[in-house]
Each structure stands twice: as C-alpha cells, then as structure tokens.
Amino acid sequence: MPWESIKLNSGYYIPSIGFGTWTLGNGQGPVDQVEQALENGYNHIDTAQSYRNEGETGVALKESGLSRSDVFVTTKYSGTNGLDIPTSIRNSLGASALVTVTVKQLGVSYVDLYLVHSPRLAVPDIPTCWAQMEKVKEEGLAKSIGISNFGVQDMEILLASAKVKPAVNQILLHPYVYRQQKPILEYAAKNGIVIEAYSALIPITKSPGGPLDKPLNEIAAKFDVTTDQVLLAWTKAKGAVVVTTSSKKTRLQGYLAAGDITLSAEDIAAIDAAGALGEKKVNMKTILKRVVVGAIACTAVFGACNFLGISMM
C-alpha cells in the first residue's frame, strides 16, 4: 500500500504512517495493541516518556520476533521525573543504571527518532537543549533527532545555532487547525524538516457535527471509503507523516488502506474550506465562553459588593 517512506534530512527514511501509543495507558493492553499493529503491517511505532508505556512497547517489539531494523521506533524526551536529556534517552533505551530489573523500557540499543516533546522542555533554553540532542545523535543513541509542538519562532531560535537540523516536527494537524498551523508547515518545508501529524482524526472523533461532515461524507461516498480514511488521505496530501492509533484491527487495516486514496485538488480545497469555517466557529465558541465566564464573575463580584454594602460606582 502506498504509504511510502519519506527521506529525512538525516539521510534515513521514515515510514509515512505510524502507530502511536499516546492513549494506550499501561499494562498488558498496550503490549497487545502494539503487537496487533505490528502484525497488521505497521512498521513505525511512536511512543514517549510521558506516555509511560515505553516498557510495554519494548515487550511488544521483543515478542513480535521482528528484527530491530524492521521497525522504526520513535520516542520523545518529555522531562519525566526531572531527568535531563542524556539520562532520559538511556533510561528510555534501557541502558541506564536508573532502570530497574522490572522496568526494562524499550530494550533497544538506539531509537530511529528522538524528539523534544515540547519547546517548554527546552531548558535552560532551546540552543542548549538542542546541543544535548545533537550529542545523543553523535553517540549513536538516535539515528535522527527532531522536535514536537515547536512553532515558527521556536524553530527559528533552534536553527540559528543548530549544527544538525531537526529531521521532523511532530504537531497537531487536522483541517480545523490547518490554517493556524500552515505557517509551521511552510517554514518546515522551506528548511527541509518533515512534518508529522498527530490527532488527525479529531474532527470526527472529538468534534463531529461540524462543517467538515458534509465534504467528508461526500468524498467518502465518491471513493466508497470511510470518513476517517478521507481525513488520513488529506493529511497525507499535505505531505505529513501520520501518527494514529486504534484498538480495532479493522480500523488499523482501514488506515493502511487509506494510503491508496488520491484526493483531487477540488477534494482538498473543499476540506480546507470547511476546516477554516470550523476553526472560526471554534474560536467564536471560545470567545463566547470567555464572555459568559466573565459575565458570571462580574455578576458574582457585584452581588458580593452589594451584600457588603460596597459601592462600585
């Protein structure tokens, strides 16, 4: 299926669809789900320190019987337990003295991609943080290094002193946020940084009933596919690597099949337009909510003052 691998600026290739462990929790559940993803053709697993299931991911990788080179593994520096980057990557790999016998973490000698989970974790500053990431790559603990949730200004600061460019920037991306995220996509493309998209399915999983419903349903009917497949095809058309998840085998297979969908320019434009309209409605709801909260607060203040006999005039 045509989810082709994409060449990174590090020279390595990243599979353009990955299975994410963000929402899986702990225990046997994530082990089973990662194994299911691997069994169904996913060769890109995305996890993070803050997801607290690197260990379960490691168990699934080992039990799959696949060679290390057969699976692209991403994890992220999340600042968990206040650990610094050099300590954290070794802890994630399972090569740190801090790792106990019962917590073996990923159990690999390197990750294919190591990300800074957020610019707020770049302490004391972005240049210092990135220099530590470059050291991780230099030591062979990660083949490629990148960032997550970095805006344009954050990337500008990073690139001003970087010896190694980030290979990717993993960000929230779906039609309802596309317009506000577009500058990030454009800046990344200009600097050879691949965009990874998480939560691409939010318009149908968390925000159904919005302006996107109509074009998604029409396009899905035209291709005889599902609306979630259309959203993934849209994300792919934007040049982004998709990170998604599901506990259902049929959906995982459907997500892979979405790679066969080629949307027309008109299809993409219709989704973009509906996404922009939905973004405006979401922003208006936020404004109205703040106004209502403000009004309630003011009413409470006036009521309290009247009760206490305090004049507000």
Side-chain angles (χ1 to χ4, degrees), residues 14 20 36-37 42 58 60 73 87 91-92 117 138 144 150 165 232 245 255 265-266 287 301:
I14 183 172
Q36 178 176 250
Y42 287 78
V73 179
T87 305
N91 194 38
S92 291
H117 213 156
E138 181 183 324
S144 302
F150 274 53
K165 282 186 176 183
L232 294 184
T245 193
Y255 297 163
E266 291 75 17
I287 292 171
V301 170

Side-chain angles (χ1 to χ4, degrees), residues 37-73:
L38 293 169
E39 289 168 358
N40 281 276
Y42 287 78
N43 61 346
H44 174 185
I45 305 298
D46 181 280
T47 187
Q49 292 175 317
S50 61
Y51 303 168
R52 299 190 182 278
N53 51 32
E54 289 177 311
E56 287 85 345
T57 300
V59 171
L61 290 171
K62 182 178 180 180
E63 292 183 352
S64 72
L66 295 169
S67 299
R68 175 64 189 87
S69 59
D70 291 335
V71 185
F72 188 101
V73 179

Side-chain angles (χ1 to χ4, degrees), residues 88-109:
S88 292
I89 181 60
R90 288 174 172 81
N91 194 38
S92 291
L93 295 175
S96 171
L98 296 176
V99 178
T100 68
V101 174
T102 57
V103 184
K104 296 185 180 301
Q105 300 306 83
L106 290 168
V108 294
S109 60

Side-chain angles (χ1 to χ4, degrees), residues 231-251:
L231 273 176
L232 294 184
W234 174 88
T235 309
K236 180 185 177 187
K238 295 302 181 182
V241 171
V242 169
V243 177
T244 190
T245 193
S246 179
S247 61
K248 301 184 184 303
K249 179 179 177 180
T250 53
R251 285 185 179 170

Side-chain angles (χ1 to χ4, degrees), residues 76-254:
K76 309 174 191 73
Y77 169 68
S78 306
T80 305
N81 299 324
L83 300 177
D84 60 15
I85 288 173
T87 305
S88 292
I89 181 60
R90 288 174 172 81
N91 194 38
S92 291
L93 295 175
S96 171
L98 296 176
V99 178
T100 68
V101 174
T102 57
V103 184
K104 296 185 180 301
Q105 300 306 83
L106 290 168
V108 294
S109 60
Y110 68 91
V111 290
D112 295 278
L113 180 62
Y114 194 48
L115 308 179
V116 180
H117 213 156
S118 167
R120 67 179 177 77
L121 297 170
V123 291
D125 52 46
I126 289 175
T128 303
C129 170
W130 191 247
Q132 293 178 356
M133 291 291 287
E134 290 174 332
K135 187 69 173 176
V136 166
K137 184 178 188 303
E138 181 183 324
E139 293 178 352
L141 302 177
K143 289 189 173 181
S144 302
I145 51 176
I147 51 182
S148 181
N149 301 306
F150 274 53
V152 172
Q153 185 176 8
D154 301 318
M155 290 189 285
E156 289 175 339
I157 293 171
L158 189 156
L159 291 179
S161 62
K163 297 177 182 177
V164 177
K165 282 186 176 183
V168 309
N169 185 10
Q170 187 178 119
I171 62 172
L172 172 69
L173 182 62
H174 56 74
Y176 286 148
V177 298
Y178 173 63
R179 188 167 62 172
Q180 70 185 54
Q181 299 289 65
K182 191 175 180 181
I184 297 176
L185 272 69
E186 293 174 340
Y187 187 85
K190 180 181 177 181
N191 287 279
I193 301 169
V194 169
I195 290 293
E196 282 191 282
Y198 65 81
S199 298
L201 300 180
I202 274 183
I204 56 179
T205 60
K206 302 294 184 182
S207 305
L212 275 168
D213 283 14
K214 185 174 185 293
L216 289 180
N217 285 321
E218 290 176 349
I219 296 167
K222 180 174 70 172
F223 286 99
D224 191 23
V225 297
T226 59
T227 52
D228 52 3
Q229 289 177 307
V230 173
L231 273 176
L232 294 184
W234 174 88
T235 309
K236 180 185 177 187
K238 295 302 181 182
V241 171
V242 169
V243 177
T244 190
T245 193
S246 179
S247 61
K248 301 184 184 303
K249 179 179 177 180
T250 53
R251 285 185 179 170
L252 290 177
Q253 293 171 337

